[in-house]
């Protein structure tokens, strides 16, 4: 009877088989690292065939992602906190990470992957993709699409990863010995600075999705507010006052165009992705890297926007037949049509914004901005 109780799950118990494979994978990855374990070894440890492992998880990468799970990312609890109390997001994130790593099981594969990534390119790429999915995308969702959000996402990720490396992987002092009760509020304060002091900044009211499936009539455009006057005591033509007014004009322009585009179900950043694909010409296709280079959308935000655009049927992903690592984004006919409508609406709105300027004023403004741009570039 004792032998019977220790038998591996049979073919009649697919869930039991899957759990056995995951348990074996966690033990082996945790002990030997990502590169030191093969699918056959996991199958032998679990008492199943390699084919069954592949049937459940597809690839070794898929098996590792399932073994790692979602516990090292931005958890659902943190996202729930963002919805209920945005001001406590840094504290919730600090507590979630420290609690997760304080209670990390000995056979958890995360430390092994991170160590392997230091000198093994494939492990480094796998770590990057998992962190992007589990950390980068949720953070981008929290921070929205405003200028500077990508920088804050990168900074938050860097702070969290640095704590993990110093405190848990290398056990450097004093990080390794600071009590969690003292470290958590200090980490929350640093994360609060990295977030920019406001985790809701950049999310317009009611902006719950980046794209929608179709066009709707544009909403009435808000009136263009007058730029703020120079601060008291500051000359209106001083360098700081002029540059501040340029920055304010740019910010207001982005907000107004963003509102115009939202009437069509797309954010400004999502439209940039569509526009780059349209400008590529037939077959309206570019690699992820080419799209990132042609827009202000960084890698973390691009993945999120591509997911939403694909779900809306506006683009599709295509893998290169000769190199499966290369992913291209391609406009669908629906995406091309929507991009044209949005471009027309944007052009009309910008024409309205510049209506008070005659042709001579526009030429002079273009010349002055060109001069400022040249100086900034130098």
């Amino acid at each position: 009877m004792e032998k019977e109780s220790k038998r591996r799950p049979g073919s009649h118990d697919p869930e039991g088989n899957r759990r056995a494979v995951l348990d074996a994978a966690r033990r082996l990855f945790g002990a030997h690292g990502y590169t030191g374990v093969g699918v056959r070894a996991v199958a032998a440890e679990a008492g199943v065939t390699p084919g069954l492992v592949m049937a459940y998880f597809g690839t070794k990468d898929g098996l590792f992602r399932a073994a790692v799970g979602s516990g090292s990312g931005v958890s659902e609890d943190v996202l729930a906190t963002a919805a209920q109390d945005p001001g406590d997001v840094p504290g919730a994130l600090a507590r979630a990470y420290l609690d997760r790593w304080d209670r990390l099981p000995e056979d958890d594969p995360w430390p092994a992957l991170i160590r392997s990534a230091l000198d093994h390119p494939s492990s480094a790429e796998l770590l990057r993709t998992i962190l992007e999915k589990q950390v980068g995308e949720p953070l981008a969702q929290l921070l929205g699409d405003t200028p500077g959000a990508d920088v804050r996402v990168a900074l938050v990720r860097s702070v969290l990863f640095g704590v993990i490396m110093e405190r848990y992987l290398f056990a450097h002092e004093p990080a390794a010995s600071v009590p969690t009760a003292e470290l958590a509020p200090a980490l929350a304060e640093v994360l609060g600075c990295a977030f920019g002091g406001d985790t809701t900044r950049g999310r317009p009211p009611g902006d719950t999705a980046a794209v929608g499936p179709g066009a709707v009539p544009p909403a009435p455009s808000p009136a263009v507010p007058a730029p703020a006057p120079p601060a008291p005591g500051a000359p209106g033509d001083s360098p700081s006052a002029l540059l501040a007014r340029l920055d304010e004009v740019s910010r207001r322009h982005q907000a107004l165009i963003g509102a115009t585009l939202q009437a069509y179900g797309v954010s400004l950043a999502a439209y940039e992705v569509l526009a780059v694909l349209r400008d590529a010409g037939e077959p309206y296709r570019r690699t992820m890297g080419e799209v990132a280079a042609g827009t202000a959308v960084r890698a973390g935000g691009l993945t999120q926007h591509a997911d939403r655009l694909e779900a809306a049927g506006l683009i599709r992903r295509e893998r290169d037949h000769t190199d499966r690592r290369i992913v291209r984004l391609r406009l669908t006919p629906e995406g091309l049509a929507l991009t044209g409508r949005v471009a027309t609406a944007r052009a009309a709105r910008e024409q309205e914004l510049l209506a008070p300027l005659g042709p001579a004023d526009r030429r002079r403004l273009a010349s002055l901005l060109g001069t400022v741009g040249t100086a900034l570039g130098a």
Side-chain angles (χ1 to χ4, degrees), residues 186-211:
L187 177 58
E189 183 177 352
V190 173
L191 290 175
C193 295
F195 272 119
D198 185 357
T199 54
T200 64
R201 237 171 88 191
R203 284 191 285 175
D207 184 21
T208 58
V211 297

Side-chain angles (χ1 to χ4, degrees), residues 242-322:
L242 287 173
L243 292 173
R245 289 171 73 84
L246 280 176
D247 184 66
E248 178 69 8
V249 167
S250 174
R251 187 186 67 79
R252 291 172 183 268
H253 166 252
Q254 295 283 312
L256 289 172
I257 296 303
T260 300
L261 269 54
Q262 282 178 3
Y264 288 83
V266 293
S267 68
L268 183 55
Y271 170 73
E272 286 188 25
V273 175
L274 297 173
V276 166
L277 296 176
R278 178 203 58 189
D279 294 345
E282 292 187 8
Y284 308 110
R285 180 176 61 192
R286 289 187 183 274
T287 66
M288 293 279 282
E290 290 170 339
V291 173
T295 69
V297 183
R298 302 287 178 87
L302 177 58
T303 301
Q304 182 184 16
H305 290 306
D307 288 343
R308 291 175 176 174
L309 290 167
E310 186 175 33
L314 301 177
I315 67 170
R316 62 173 177 265
R317 286 180 169 91
E318 297 179 346
R319 291 197 176 273
D320 191 279
H321 295 301
T322 59

Side-chain angles (χ1 to χ4, degrees), residues 336-348:
L336 181 62
L338 179 62
T339 306
R341 292 196 295 272
V342 174
T344 299
R346 176 176 183 168

